[in-house]
């Protein structure tokens, strides 16, 4: 099968474990690695074929981020500008006022974002913060935007409160492979991450989970990470793939750059294994050429973060993205017209 990408891509085969909507949850590491290592043209053809079955290939979802609580985080994630353990020069701030968040959401909507993602530099939210964050969810949702939050680990009570407020998505990345995880973060475990993801899913909140490339992981780690995501009981509805933005002062400030072709291979593998998920070309676009981004879209990425800032780091911004979309003939997904095929 692996020698003939077309037969799988054209749906001739129905491997065991394939559920409704063409989703499989029984990917073996060997099978995934063989796909990742296909000749590049075969890999891209296969990914694009899978992509076209579920999505309009020329429509890209735009999500906007806002850091609602910046810096001073107790965790030691070695890529992060917001960990209090590293001197990154970032100024820590308190949880933002609700009306400031609403103002940001209004601007994002005007720029064509359909989802507003609110992130806090916490290991986990404190009970005393839950009233404010749930109010943010209610107000942003009332504006007709999809809501997403990323607040760290959640308890059963937290997920119930967020669900009650109407939260649509929760972002919680596995970040890398289980094997490599302790080299990147020591203050929590890979199992802790999976536990929060299970709680979110159980509460009926949609899952956004992906990872970062460029942490010093091997190609095998990248494949393992994607197999973990694809073999969850349900695929995450959103899969953000970040390219490390090397932040001065963090242990990864001098990390070697990820090869662009290897990055595209990871996007393609995510698309093939999770055919109906939105695969988001996430952090790192400000350092990517138009050509690399175009290859990512061809490999099946169909979502981006828009605006000139991510949480704390740079992003291309509206003008650059408008020019890129025009060059590639891409259109932004609007709330009314989904990029999903009927
Ligand atoms: N504190 C929460 C947590 O860690 O789950 C939420 C915020 S955290 C900044 C969200 C994700 O952003 C991380 O899991 C990581 O995948 C990504 N990220 C953070 N810093 C990054 C960087 N310098 N380059 C690329 N991705 C990064
Ligand atoms: C995700 O996977 N990437 C976003 C979002 N989820 C929260 C965050 C990217 C952060 C990039 C570094 C920064 O802005 O500090
Ligand atoms: Fe804290 Fe999240 Fe940054 Fe880790 S990634 S240091 S948990 S803000």
């Amino acid at each position: 099968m692996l020698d003939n990408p077309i037969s799988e891509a054209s749906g001739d085969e129905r491997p065991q474990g394939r559920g409704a909507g063409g989703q499989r949850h029984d990917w073996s590491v060997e099978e995934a690695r063989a796909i990742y290592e296909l000749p590049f043209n075969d890999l891209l053809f296969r990914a694009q074929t899978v992509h076209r079955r579920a999505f309009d290939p020329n429509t890209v979802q735009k999500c906007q981020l806002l850091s609602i609580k910046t810096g001073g985080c107790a965790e030691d994630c070695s890529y992060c500008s917001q960990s209090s353990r590293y001197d990154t020069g970032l100024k820590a701030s308190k949880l933002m006022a609700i009306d400031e968040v609403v103002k940001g959401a209004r601007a994002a909507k005007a720029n064509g974002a359909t989802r507003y993602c609110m992130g806090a530099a916490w290991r986990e939210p404190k009970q005393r913060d839950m009233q404010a964050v749930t109010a943010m969810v209610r107000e942003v949702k009332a504006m007709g935007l999809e809501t997403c939050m990323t607040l760290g680990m959640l308890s059963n009570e937290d997920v119930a409160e967020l669900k009650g407020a109407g939260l649509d998505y929760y972002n919680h990345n596995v970040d890398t492979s289980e094997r490599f995880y302790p080299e990147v973060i020591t203050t929590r475990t890979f199992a802790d991450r999976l536990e929060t993801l299970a709680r979110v899913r159980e509460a009926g909140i949609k899952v956004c989970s992906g990872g970062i490339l460029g942490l010093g992981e091997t190609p095998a780690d990248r494949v393992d990470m994607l197999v973990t995501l694809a073999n969850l009981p349900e695929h995450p509805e959103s899969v953000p793939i970040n390219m490390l933005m090397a932040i001065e002062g963090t242990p990864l400030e001098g990390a070697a750059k990820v090869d662009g072709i290897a990055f595209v291979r990871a996007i393609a593998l995510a698309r093939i294994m999770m055919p109906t998920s939105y695969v988001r070309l996430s952090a790192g676009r400000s350092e990517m050429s138009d050509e690399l981004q175009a290859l990512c879209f061809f490999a099946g990425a169909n979502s981006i973060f828009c605006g000139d800032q991510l949480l704390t780091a740079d992003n291309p911004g509206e003008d650059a993205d408008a020019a890129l979309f025009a060059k590639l003939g891409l259109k932004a997904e609007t709330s009314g017209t989904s990029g999903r095929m009927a």
Side-chain angles (χ1 to χ4, degrees):
M1 181 179 91
L2 294 167
D3 291 339
N4 181 0
I6 301 171
S7 67
E8 160 66 357
S10 60
D12 293 335
E13 297 169 47
R14 298 266 149 200
Q16 284 192 338
R18 179 166 287 205
Q23 293 194 7
R24 282 181 54 193
H25 305 272
D26 63 347
W27 294 94
S28 73
V29 166
E30 294 71 31
E31 187 182 5
R33 197 175 301 179
I35 297 171
Y36 181 86
E37 288 170 356
L38 278 171
F40 194 61
N41 288 336
D42 290 342
L43 175 63
L44 256 58
F45 179 65
R46 180 163 166 178
Q48 177 65 201
T49 307
V50 169
H51 187 49
R52 280 168 185 260
R53 279 206 222 131
F55 294 103
D56 171 354
N58 302 309
T59 299
V60 173
Q61 176 192 58
K62 284 165 72 175
C63 309
Q64 170 97 43
L65 277 164
L66 176 71
S67 180
I68 58 170
K69 196 273 164 206
T70 303
C73 184
E75 301 277 70
D76 72 350
C77 312
S78 40
Y79 47 77
C80 188
S81 64
Q82 306 199 67
S83 167
S84 62
R85 312 200 178 207
Y86 317 127
D87 186 7
T88 63
L90 186 75
K91 198 171 158 280
S93 56
K94 288 208 221 122
L95 184 62
M96 226 179 221
I98 298 165
D99 55 342
E100 287 297 309
V101 174
V102 170
K103 211 192 282 174
R106 209 172 285 129
K109 195 176 177 191
N111 279 335
T114 53
R115 188 178 304 173
Y116 203 55
C117 309
M118 295 160 270
W122 288 328
R123 175 177 165 83
E124 69 240 308
K126 297 209 166 56
Q127 184 48 42
R128 63 163 191 263
D129 297 314
M130 289 307 288
Q131 203 186 340
V133 296
T134 50
M136 290 171 193
V137 171
R138 287 196 174 88
E139 298 227 6
V140 172
K141 204 175 160 72
M143 294 170 50
L145 284 164
E146 286 184 322
T147 52
C148 179
M149 284 209 151
T150 180
L151 313 171
M153 294 187 275
L154 297 182
S155 65
N156 285 330
E157 292 70 36
D158 297 332
V159 289
E161 284 190 53
L162 290 168
K163 178 66 185 170
L167 182 70
D168 297 299
Y169 290 83
Y170 194 73
N171 165 251
H172 201 64
N173 291 341
V174 295
D175 276 337
T176 191
S177 69
E178 182 170 15
R179 183 199 72 80
F180 193 60
Y181 196 87
E183 312 262 329
V184 183
I185 301 151
T186 69
T187 49
R188 57 166 191 252
T189 65
F190 194 79
D192 291 332
R193 289 309 259 190
L194 295 181
E195 204 175 297
T196 289
L197 287 174
R199 285 202 174 108
V200 168
R201 181 59 86 192
E202 181 66 20
I205 299 169
K206 285 181 252 187
V207 169
C208 171
S209 188
I212 314 184
L213 268 59
L215 304 170
E217 74 285 349
T218 63
D221 290 315
R222 293 172 190 163
V223 170
D224 286 0
M225 172 185 86
L226 293 173
V227 167
T228 294
L229 293 169
N231 286 347
L232 288 172
E234 284 179 65
H235 294 165
E237 282 80 0
S238 292
V239 181
I241 307 290
N242 298 277
M243 185 181 271
L244 176 74
M245 302 189 74
I247 310 280
E248 239 180 76
T250 64
L252 286 169
E253 68 176 355
K257 277 206 180 322
V258 185
D259 174 65
I261 298 295
F263 190 81
V264 176
R265 285 184 178 276
I267 299 255
L269 181 59
R271 166 51 64 225
I272 290 164
M273 292 199 296
M274 295 172 276
T276 60
S277 301
Y278 279 75
V279 175
R280 184 169 310 122
L281 172 55
S282 300
R285 287 199 305 117
S286 57
E287 288 155 29
M288 292 179 197
S289 66
D290 286 357
E291 291 84 350
L292 178 53
Q293 294 186 66
L295 276 178
C296 291
F297 294 131
F298 192 71
N302 60 345
S303 176
I304 57 167
F305 286 120
C306 60
D308 57 14
Q309 205 178 349
L310 294 162
L311 289 173
T312 69
D314 289 347
N315 201 45
E318 280 313 310
D319 292 351
D321 282 341
L324 180 66
F325 275 41
K327 238 197 240 190
L328 301 178
L330 295 175
K331 52 190 176 297
E333 186 175 292
T334 57
S335 311
T337 62
S338 163
R340 259 186 218 292
M341 304 304 264

